[in-house]
Amino acid sequence: MRQSGRLTSQHKVSHGVIGIFGDEAKHHDNQVAKMACRALACFREKYPTLEFRHRKSVSKEEISLALRQMDKSLGRTLFVPSAKVSPDGGIIEVKDDAGAWRVVLVSEAKHQGKDIENIKAGKLVGKNADQDLMIAGNAIERSHKNIFEIANFMLAESYFPYVLFLEGSNFLTRTLSVSRPDGRTVTLDCHSGAINRLDRLTAANYGMEINTNLCNNKFIRHGDKMIMLQATSIFTQGDGNSWDDDAMLKIMLDVADTSMRVLASDLFDQLVKSGRQGR
């Protein structure tokens, strides 16, 4: 069956958009947005002399302008200037000593895979409702678009504070055995391509470690060339469980603190004032 046919069938079985963007996914998106707001409050308390802002989106026009400022050959092609990039947690920025806004945190959420919940509930899935596991979809690959757009926006920076929070059975890092109500045990193999979609996302961090703060850009030498890598910090609940608010917030603050350390020289005067007020 062609992909369009599979998507049509999926829409019919799952009642269209409601099935693809279910309650769990919506909750996960909202959770990240809520934690981003809490992170912003923490920044303002920690750095009282600095000015922060939280934007829900950044326009393609602004991204193109940032690219052109790097090199006049970049950012030349744009057909819909009003188009926007809108990560789930938005974009948090700080104003530097020169009055420019600098990104300190971008956060996004993806929830995919309800196999654990379905097995525990004794629910069979698939076209004929005769399978324990649902073949994983590809919706999470849309994450790459936002990542690439923000990477373009931050091409002039030496850090990349993009955090991707994953949850659901399609992002397992270890093999699990889950029992059905009738006592039968179902194994979820984290190495199975039918359910695991982590490898569809690790292109965004060059196959480096997940559950790791990769905010500092990595510079590698290849021959006579120096290459800068902007890596997404990918975090997943390896056993399919939901994210805890405090755990998510802690990661956000850690990544943002890395951004602030990189930007320290551009925020020097204001950081000195913050230090004096904190005495």
Side-chain angles (χ1 to χ4, degrees):
M1 183 186 294
R2 296 176 62 186
Q3 184 177 11
S4 59
R6 289 196 300 270
L7 288 173
T8 300
S9 298
Q10 183 180 359
H11 270 258
K12 289 179 179 178
V13 172
S14 62
H15 307 292
V17 175
I18 294 176
I20 296 177
F21 302 102
D23 291 339
E24 291 85 357
K26 291 177 182 176
H27 169 75
H28 193 36
D29 294 352
N30 292 336
Q31 181 186 23
V32 169
K34 182 177 70 173
M35 289 305 102
C37 289
R38 281 184 57 184
L40 178 62
C42 291
F43 303 154
R44 286 172 171 161
E45 181 177 358
K46 185 174 182 178
Y47 305 104
T49 64
L50 297 179
E51 185 178 349
F52 292 91
R53 72 178 181 183
H54 185 195
R55 293 198 282 169
K56 291 184 178 180
S57 62
V58 59
S59 70
K60 282 284 292 182
E61 188 172 36
E62 191 173 353
I63 294 170
S64 293
L65 176 60
L67 286 170
R68 289 198 301 276
Q69 289 174 339
M70 286 283 294
D71 187 283
K72 64 181 181 180
S73 67
L74 305 179
R76 308 303 304 181
T77 303
L78 179 61
F79 293 99
V80 186
S82 60
K84 296 179 180 180
V85 178
S86 305
D88 300 312
I91 301 108
I92 295 178
E93 297 165 299
V94 64
K95 184 179 286 188
D96 67 17
D97 285 348
W101 289 103
R102 313 286 286 276
V103 179
V104 295
L105 180 66
V106 183
S107 50
E108 185 144 22
K110 290 298 172 189
H111 181 287
Q112 187 169 300
K114 293 182 61 177
D115 295 304
I116 296 173
E117 298 92 326
N118 288 337
I119 293 167
K120 288 181 178 180
K123 180 180 178 181
L124 294 175
V125 297
K127 182 178 179 181
N128 299 316
D130 58 356
Q131 302 170 201
D132 289 314
L133 305 176
M134 177 68 76
I135 300 299
N138 297 320
I140 48 91
E141 293 182 353
R142 298 170 188 160
S143 299
H144 286 292
K145 175 186 178 295
N146 281 0
I147 291 168
F148 291 148
E149 294 284 17
I150 298 298
N152 283 343
F153 186 51
M154 297 190 66
L155 191 59
E157 304 286 9
S158 57
Y159 66 103
F160 188 57
Y162 201 112
V163 188
L164 182 59
F165 292 99
L166 308 175
E167 68 176 45
S169 58
N170 292 161
F171 304 121
L172 298 178
T173 59
R174 63 187 180 92
T175 297
L176 300 178
S177 294
V178 184
S179 296
R180 289 172 46 84
D182 60 11
R184 182 166 61 85
T185 298
V186 179
T187 298
L188 281 72
D189 184 0
C190 70
H191 301 293
S192 170
I195 64 170
N196 200 314
R197 286 295 182 262
L198 275 171
D199 287 341
R200 304 287 179 94
L201 288 167
T202 51
N205 76 347
Y206 303 91
M208 289 192 282
E209 294 287 339
I210 61 172
N211 295 327
T212 303
N213 177 358
L214 300 175
C215 181
N216 265 318
N217 287 356
K218 188 175 183 65
F219 293 83
I220 60 172
R221 183 175 294 280
H222 181 71
D224 61 351
K225 299 186 292 292
M226 186 66 73
I227 304 169
M228 182 181 78
L229 306 181
Q230 296 167 292
T232 304
S233 300
I234 301 173
F235 289 84
T236 179
Q237 293 289 63
D239 55 3
N241 286 327
S242 299
W243 276 97
D244 173 75
D245 283 355
D246 290 338
M248 184 178 283
L249 178 62
K250 182 178 179 181
I251 291 168
M252 288 184 175
L253 294 177
D254 182 48
V255 170
D257 279 341
T258 302
S259 300
M260 295 296 288
R261 286 196 296 273
V262 175
L263 289 171
S265 61
D266 294 335
L267 300 168
F268 179 77
D269 290 339
Q270 298 173 80
L271 287 171
V272 168
K273 293 177 182 176
S274 289
R276 289 172 179 168
Q277 288 188 10
R279 292 177 182 175

